[in-house]
Each structure stands twice: as C-alpha cells, then as structure tokens.
Amino acid sequence: MAKWGEGDPRWIVEERADATNVNNWHWTERDATNWSSDKLKALLLGLSVENDEGKCEVTEVSKLEGEASINNRKGKLIFFYEWNLKASWTGKSKSGVKYKGTLEVPNLSDENDMEDLDISVALNKDEPDTPLTNLMKTKGAEKVREALGSYVEFLKTEFTQGMILPTANGMAKPQSTSQSKAQTDRTQISSSGSTAAPVNTGVKIPTCKFSMKETFLTSPADLYRVFLNQEMVQAFTHAPATVDGERGGKFRLLDGNVFGEFTDLVPDEKIVMKWRFNNWPCEHYATITMTLLDQSSETELKVECRGVPDNEEERTKEGWKRYYFEAIKQTFGYGARLF
C-alpha cells in the first residue's frame, strides 16, 4: 500500500470543484495535522476550573506531537489521529497565592475511547502542596477530556467539509467510520458569538471586501504596539491571548475564537495579517490591512478587509467595532480627550 503523500497518482487524487473524483470512487486524503494543532490549542488554552479553594487555568500548551489525517474512499470517511500533548496550568488560591503545574495526555488516538485517556496532572517540583492540585486532577481533568472530545467532534464535522464531492447525480452520501473501537464523543462546547460553519462542497466560497475607519487619541507608535504586544492584547480583550508580534508570527485571542498570522509589518505605519473566526470554513482566512495615519494629536486607523465570507460581513464588522475599536478605547483611554 502506498504511503501517505507518496501514492500512485492514478489512485490518490485531489478533491476538485469540478467533481473529477466521480462518485467519490478514488481514495482521497487530507492532512489535518496543522488544523488539529490549532484546534487543540484553541480548545485547551484558557480552560479553567474553580472551587472554594481557588481557581486553576491552562495557560500554555508546551508540547503537541502527533498527526491527523482523513481518508475518503467511496464516500466513506476514515479518521486517523494520534497526539501526545503537554500543557502548563496556573492555580491561584483564595488568599492570592499562585501555583504552577503541568498536565499530560500521551494517548489521544483514534484507537482509544475518551474514557480511556490517560490525563496526568502534577504540581511543579518547587511548589508547595496545595488542594488546587486535586481540583485539577478531578474537575480539571474532566474539562480537558471534554475539550479533547470536542476536538474529535470538530475533526469529524468542521474539517471534513468538502471531502465528499458531488456525485454524478449531483448528490453526496457521506458516511463516517474509524479504524478503531472508539465511539464518537458527543461532547460539544459553546463559545460566545459562534455559529455553525458554512458548508463547503469544494467550491470557492463567495467573499466580500469592505473598509472601516476609526480615530484614536494616541500616537501611531502607541496604537501599533497595542496590536502586537501580548500583554496589551490580553488587557483589551480581557482574556488569555497568544501574540507573536513579528512578521510570520501567529496570534490567538478571544478564547481561540479569533486567530491568524502577521504577514507584513511596517513599524508604526502598517499591519497586514491573515485573520479568521474559528468557525469559518477550515483554512479560510481573510486578509486584514491596517494603516495608521498620523493626524497630529490623534491617529486615524484604516482597516481594509478582503476575503470575508459574504454571510459573515456584518458579524465581522460588529466584532471589530466591539472587540477591537471600543475595547481599545475603553481600556487605554484612547477615546477621550484630557483637558
């Protein structure tokens, strides 16, 4: 049997919008590794539990090794995934004392049920004993299990869009199977503002472009730093965020509902990025260009958005106004004049 990515081109074919893979007969494969890595981080980062002793939160996914792929043969989807992950958590007692620890999951795989996952929780060696460790071992581990179950569910629904191509009769009958005894975990999570992703049948989705302008009572240099500094992003979003403020650096904010990559940076003048909502069709990004214009005592920010799905235009506009423009002004005082 041919190895993944090295198959005989007569048998392994690409998915195509013109339905070349008639009746889904040929074996098609899609690599889900990068998508899975992003999805797992989005589901785990910021995950928190709390009781009378205090609160614990997953603050970093420090190790994520493995792979994932999906195969389509005769309209039947076969899922392969295997992950070994390690994360860091931080606890804070009611008295304000902070603790740090780790959690590991070595066997997230299509061969294991969610109930069979090994979730190991430990306190860092130099930390004193705390009841918060038990909180993470019980409620924390259960939340991690639910999040990983949600990853499997998203893999089988969100990422598979477009893998079952139209048949000769114009219809597709998708089926799903797994290489193991594992049953599909039905755990679902909800995030504020999220909606079901549009169905993608392999055809380019209709998109739109629009622009917005906003004025901030600060210098271009200060406003530029707001978008690229992780601590400042966490301040105006009021949530954990990951921001690598360099060209090619990635960002993730608002509980993983927004993420992307900085593609071009001109200090204090321009920021260009690949940007998307978590529930957009998999691997579809809009291009956001932010231009900062110095207007003496204030800065005019022009935001140009290209490639936004048509049905997401209003939501995207409202999101930028609420979670970027208004939040930045309220957090840093860039909307009020001081006399």
Side-chain angles (χ1 to χ4, degrees):
M1 180 179 293
K3 294 181 179 179
W4 186 89
E6 299 179 0
D8 187 325
R10 295 172 298 175
W11 294 101
I12 299 179
V13 298
E14 295 180 357
E15 51 196 275
R16 294 176 53 150
D18 59 5
T20 298
N21 188 12
V22 178
N23 293 325
N24 298 286
W25 178 264
H26 292 291
W27 184 292
T28 59
E29 297 182 329
R30 178 182 289 180
D31 182 11
T33 302
N34 290 336
W35 177 91
S36 293
S37 179
D38 287 339
K39 180 64 71 174
L40 286 166
K41 290 178 181 178
L43 291 170
L44 292 171
L45 284 174
L47 183 151
S48 63
V49 289
E50 188 171 2
N51 65 6
D52 294 337
E53 299 292 341
K55 180 180 179 181
C56 297
E57 179 178 321
V58 176
T59 55
E60 180 187 12
V61 178
S62 55
K63 175 183 177 182
L64 194 54
E65 297 178 346
E67 60 183 348
S69 64
I70 304 174
N71 298 294
N72 167 23
R73 173 64 167 164
K74 298 183 180 179
K76 181 179 291 186
L77 297 179
I78 304 172
F79 299 85
F80 301 90
Y81 56 91
E82 185 173 5
W83 293 99
N84 178 1
L85 64 91
K86 183 176 181 179
S88 300
W89 60 270
T90 299
K92 185 176 182 180
S93 68
K94 291 294 185 179
S95 61
V97 181
K98 293 184 178 181
Y99 303 87
K100 294 183 179 181
T102 60
L103 68 86
E104 294 187 59
V105 183
N107 63 334
L108 176 60
S109 166
D110 58 274
E111 297 183 353
N112 296 319
D113 290 320
M114 283 298 123
E115 294 77 10
D116 297 330
L117 290 183
D118 296 325
I119 302 177
S120 301
V121 175
L123 194 65
N124 288 354
K125 292 182 179 180
D126 55 345
E127 298 285 347
D129 290 339
T130 170
L132 294 179
T133 306
N134 188 56
L135 173 62
M136 277 300 294
K137 287 183 176 180
T138 53
K139 292 183 179 180
E142 188 57 35
K143 270 210 168 185
V144 169
R145 195 183 308 275
E146 290 177 1
L148 297 180
S150 296
Y151 154 70
V152 175
E153 186 71 16
F154 282 127
L155 179 67
K156 294 183 177 182
T157 54
E158 180 181 305
F159 189 78
T160 57
Q161 294 168 15
M163 286 202 70
I164 304 296
L165 300 178
T167 65
N169 296 323
M171 299 177 64
K173 297 180 180 180
Q175 298 178 352
S176 174
T177 186
S178 175
Q179 288 296 98
S180 72
K181 61 181 177 64
Q183 297 178 346
T184 303
D185 185 278
R186 298 296 179 186
T187 307
Q188 295 182 349
I189 63 168
S190 60
S191 3
S192 60
S194 63
T195 56
V199 175
N200 180 355
T201 59
V203 181
K204 184 177 181 180
I205 65 172
T207 61
C208 63
K209 61 180 180 179
F210 57 87
S211 62
M212 298 176 287
K213 289 184 179 181
E214 193 71 21
T215 300
F216 296 84
L217 299 180
T218 188
S219 66
D222 286 344
L223 186 59
Y224 180 86
R225 188 165 60 253
V226 166
F227 291 100
L228 298 179
N229 181 278
Q230 180 168 301
E231 287 72 23
M232 298 184 79
V233 171
Q234 290 180 146
F236 77 76
T237 59
H238 305 289
T242 301
V243 181
D244 182 4
E246 298 181 354
R247 183 173 183 177
K250 296 184 178 181
F251 58 86
R252 180 178 299 277
L253 52 149
L254 295 172
D255 294 323
N257 286 315
V258 169
F259 57 92
E261 179 181 333
F262 298 110
T263 57
D264 190 22
L265 297 173
V266 179
D268 307 338
E269 295 181 11
K270 185 172 70 173
I271 299 172
V272 184
M273 55 188 172
K274 291 166 52 181
W275 185 98
R276 59 168 283 146
F277 276 123
N278 187 41
N279 68 319
W280 284 4
C282 53
E283 302 195 21
H284 177 83
Y285 289 82
T287 298
I288 308 293
T289 301
M290 294 190 289
T291 305
L292 294 76
L293 302 175
D294 191 350
Q295 304 287 356
S296 185
S297 61
E298 58 189 28
T299 299
E300 180 183 274
L301 176 65
K302 182 178 181 181
V303 180
E304 297 180 342
C305 306
R306 296 176 178 271
V308 174
D310 274 348
N311 61 343
E312 292 284 301
E313 179 178 359
E314 289 306 314
R315 176 176 172 236
T316 303
K317 287 180 178 178
E318 289 304 313
W320 270 84
K321 291 176 182 177
R322 178 180 177 183
Y323 295 108
Y324 283 95
F325 301 161
E326 294 176 8
I328 289 172
K329 288 183 176 182
Q330 291 174 3
T331 302
F332 304 109
Y334 293 165
R337 293 184 182 276
L338 301 177
F339 297 94

